[in-house]
Amino acid sequence: MKKMEELLEKYFDGATSCEEERILRHFFTTEQVPPQWEAYRPLFAYLDKEIQELRHSEDVVRTHRRFGWRPSLRQTVSIAAGILLCIGITRFLSISGETENFVVIDEKRYTDPTMVQAKAREALLNVSFTDEELNQLLFPIEP
């Protein structure tokens, strides 16, 4: 019991080794614990459970890596080349003979650049403000 008391003091001072912590976890999860230390049992039981779950998850990862499917470099390059080929074919087929600029206004398609510029200027003038209007909006004169 004296050894366990020393280990507990070292544990709460943060000075125990991994082996000493394993001894403490084993003691609090499997042995008869004196009544004055009974409050520590849930702490060490929780830590022991977490360590067991961590070991189990590491075993699962190792098993998955050992038996899981991992593509080789040749397979990876082949897949990438296939994807690039599909993208290239799609882009090639979607390009028409000539490209043209156009604008849609009121559900009508216009391609004449001068008419498009005129409509754009007209639209900008419709939404623009004069300096006087802008001043009135930003700094209204209060009566």
Side-chain angles (χ1 to χ4, degrees):
M1 285 301 158
K2 182 73 173 161
K3 180 181 178 184
M4 284 299 143
E5 188 173 336
E6 291 172 5
L7 280 179
L8 272 174
E9 286 179 27
K10 276 181 75 175
Y11 178 80
F12 289 114
D13 288 338
T16 52
S17 66
C18 291
E19 179 61 25
E20 290 170 331
E21 289 181 17
R22 188 191 62 73
I23 292 170
L24 281 170
R25 285 194 318 272
H26 178 75
F27 174 76
F28 279 98
T29 55
T30 60
E31 302 289 325
Q32 273 300 86
V33 178
Q36 70 266 23
W37 295 339
E38 192 64 38
Y40 302 134
R41 182 186 291 273
L43 169 69
F44 288 103
Y46 173 77
L47 292 174
D48 191 55
K49 178 183 171 211
E50 288 294 313
I51 289 172
Q52 296 301 327
E53 287 178 4
L54 182 64
R55 284 183 185 149
H56 175 70
S57 66
E58 287 174 354
D59 290 342
V60 169
V61 169
R62 278 192 213 111
T63 303
H64 178 69
R65 285 185 184 157
R66 190 176 311 141
F67 299 111
W69 180 79
R70 290 178 33 197
S72 67
L73 180 61
R74 177 178 278 168
Q75 290 171 328
T76 304
V77 169
S78 299
I79 291 169
I83 291 171
L84 286 174
L85 184 63
C86 289
I87 291 171
I89 290 172
T90 303
R91 291 196 57 124
F92 178 74
L93 293 177
S94 67
I95 296 175
S96 62
E98 290 184 31
T99 59
E100 66 178 349
N101 295 325
F102 66 93
V103 67
V104 177
I105 302 171
D106 294 327
E107 300 179 16
K108 293 179 186 171
R109 181 178 167 151
Y110 299 98
T111 57
D112 180 29
T114 55
M115 198 279 301
V116 170
Q117 288 176 353
K119 290 285 188 181
R121 278 193 197 104
E122 181 184 327
L124 286 173
L125 289 174
N126 286 337
V127 296
S128 65
F129 295 103
T130 64
D131 288 340
E132 188 176 307
E133 292 172 330
L134 192 58
N135 280 333
Q136 287 177 355
L137 287 171
L138 294 175
F139 308 109
I141 300 173
E142 294 182 22

PDB file of all heavy atoms in Angstrom, residues 135-143:
ATOM      1  N   ASN A 135     -25.640  63.556 -53.095  1.00  0.00           N
ATOM      2  CA  ASN A 135     -25.527  64.319 -51.853  1.00  0.00           C
ATOM      3  C   ASN A 135     -26.816  64.285 -51.058  1.00  0.00           C
ATOM      4  O   ASN A 135     -26.814  64.185 -49.834  1.00  0.00           O
ATOM      5  CB  ASN A 135     -25.122  65.767 -52.142  1.00  0.00           C
ATOM      6  CG  ASN A 135     -23.638  65.890 -52.392  1.00  0.00           C
ATOM      7  OD1 ASN A 135     -22.855  65.091 -51.901  1.00  0.00           O
ATOM      8  ND2 ASN A 135     -23.256  66.905 -53.157  1.00  0.00           N
ATOM      9  N   GLN A 136     -27.948  64.382 -51.739  1.00  0.00           N
ATOM     10  CA  GLN A 136     -29.235  64.347 -51.047  1.00  0.00           C
ATOM     11  C   GLN A 136     -29.485  62.977 -50.425  1.00  0.00           C
ATOM     12  O   GLN A 136     -30.068  62.875 -49.359  1.00  0.00           O
ATOM     13  CB  GLN A 136     -30.365  64.715 -52.009  1.00  0.00           C
ATOM     14  CG  GLN A 136     -30.407  66.171 -52.369  1.00  0.00           C
ATOM     15  CD  GLN A 136     -31.500  66.466 -53.382  1.00  0.00           C
ATOM     16  OE1 GLN A 136     -32.155  65.547 -53.873  1.00  0.00           O
ATOM     17  NE2 GLN A 136     -31.697  67.748 -53.697  1.00  0.00           N
ATOM     18  N   LEU A 137     -29.057  61.908 -51.112  1.00  0.00           N
ATOM     19  CA  LEU A 137     -29.249  60.575 -50.560  1.00  0.00           C
ATOM     20  C   LEU A 137     -28.344  60.314 -49.367  1.00  0.00           C
ATOM     21  O   LEU A 137     -28.736  59.719 -48.368  1.00  0.00           O
ATOM     22  CB  LEU A 137     -29.010  59.519 -51.639  1.00  0.00           C
ATOM     23  CG  LEU A 137     -30.076  59.371 -52.699  1.00  0.00           C
ATOM     24  CD1 LEU A 137     -29.606  58.443 -53.810  1.00  0.00           C
ATOM     25  CD2 LEU A 137     -31.354  58.827 -52.079  1.00  0.00           C
ATOM     26  N   LEU A 138     -27.079  60.763 -49.462  1.00  0.00           N
ATOM     27  CA  LEU A 138     -26.125  60.508 -48.396  1.00  0.00           C
ATOM     28  C   LEU A 138     -26.254  61.455 -47.221  1.00  0.00           C
ATOM     29  O   LEU A 138     -26.077  61.067 -46.066  1.00  0.00           O
ATOM     30  CB  LEU A 138     -24.691  60.565 -48.941  1.00  0.00           C
ATOM     31  CG  LEU A 138     -24.323  59.482 -49.944  1.00  0.00           C
ATOM     32  CD1 LEU A 138     -22.928  59.736 -50.494  1.00  0.00           C
ATOM     33  CD2 LEU A 138     -24.387  58.107 -49.307  1.00  0.00           C
ATOM     34  N   PHE A 139     -26.559  62.701 -47.519  1.00  0.00           N
ATOM     35  CA  PHE A 139     -26.634  63.709 -46.461  1.00  0.00           C
ATOM     36  C   PHE A 139     -27.968  64.443 -46.554  1.00  0.00           C
ATOM     37  O   PHE A 139     -28.035  65.578 -47.022  1.00  0.00           O
ATOM     38  CB  PHE A 139     -25.485  64.720 -46.614  1.00  0.00           C
ATOM     39  CG  PHE A 139     -24.142  64.065 -46.714  1.00  0.00           C
ATOM     40  CD1 PHE A 139     -23.457  64.065 -47.942  1.00  0.00           C
ATOM     41  CD2 PHE A 139     -23.559  63.443 -45.634  1.00  0.00           C
ATOM     42  CE1 PHE A 139     -22.231  63.472 -48.051  1.00  0.00           C
ATOM     43  CE2 PHE A 139     -22.324  62.848 -45.746  1.00  0.00           C
ATOM     44  CZ  PHE A 139     -21.654  62.835 -46.956  1.00  0.00           C
ATOM     45  N   PRO A 140     -29.033  63.812 -46.112  1.00  0.00           N
ATOM     46  CA  PRO A 140     -30.332  64.472 -46.229  1.00  0.00           C
ATOM     47  C   PRO A 140     -30.388  65.700 -45.320  1.00  0.00           C
ATOM     48  O   PRO A 140     -29.849  65.702 -44.221  1.00  0.00           O
ATOM     49  CB  PRO A 140     -31.326  63.397 -45.779  1.00  0.00           C
ATOM     50  CG  PRO A 140     -30.525  62.438 -44.975  1.00  0.00           C
ATOM     51  CD  PRO A 140     -29.125  62.494 -45.488  1.00  0.00           C
ATOM     52  N   ILE A 141     -31.036  66.722 -45.828  1.00  0.00           N
ATOM     53  CA  ILE A 141     -31.195  67.957 -45.053  1.00  0.00           C
ATOM     54  C   ILE A 141     -32.407  67.777 -44.170  1.00  0.00           C
ATOM     55  O   ILE A 141     -33.518  67.512 -44.636  1.00  0.00           O
ATOM     56  CB  ILE A 141     -31.374  69.169 -45.989  1.00  0.00           C
ATOM     57  CG1 ILE A 141     -30.153  69.306 -46.893  1.00  0.00           C
ATOM     58  CG2 ILE A 141     -31.643  70.427 -45.181  1.00  0.00           C
ATOM     59  CD1 ILE A 141     -30.299  70.368 -47.962  1.00  0.00           C
ATOM     60  N   GLU A 142     -32.163  67.919 -42.884  1.00  0.00           N
ATOM     61  CA  GLU A 142     -33.260  67.731 -41.934  1.00  0.00           C
ATOM     62  C   GLU A 142     -33.964  69.061 -41.706  1.00  0.00           C
ATOM     63  O   GLU A 142     -33.314  70.100 -41.525  1.00  0.00           O
ATOM     64  CB  GLU A 142     -32.719  67.190 -40.621  1.00  0.00           C
ATOM     65  CG  GLU A 142     -32.153  65.794 -40.788  1.00  0.00           C
ATOM     66  CD  GLU A 142     -31.672  65.248 -39.469  1.00  0.00           C
ATOM     67  OE1 GLU A 142     -32.106  65.707 -38.401  1.00  0.00           O
ATOM     68  OE2 GLU A 142     -30.842  64.331 -39.511  1.00  0.00           O
ATOM     69  N   PRO A 143     -35.298  69.082 -41.710  1.00  0.00           N
ATOM     70  CA  PRO A 143     -36.046  70.342 -41.505  1.00  0.00           C
ATOM     71  C   PRO A 143     -35.973  70.830 -40.073  1.00  0.00           C
ATOM     72  O   PRO A 143     -35.703  70.235 -39.147  1.00  0.00           O
ATOM     73  CB  PRO A 143     -37.469  70.006 -41.898  1.00  0.00           C
ATOM     74  CG  PRO A 143     -37.577  68.530 -41.925  1.00  0.00           C
ATOM     75  CD  PRO A 143     -36.174  67.990 -41.970  1.00  0.00           C
TER      76      PRO A 143
END
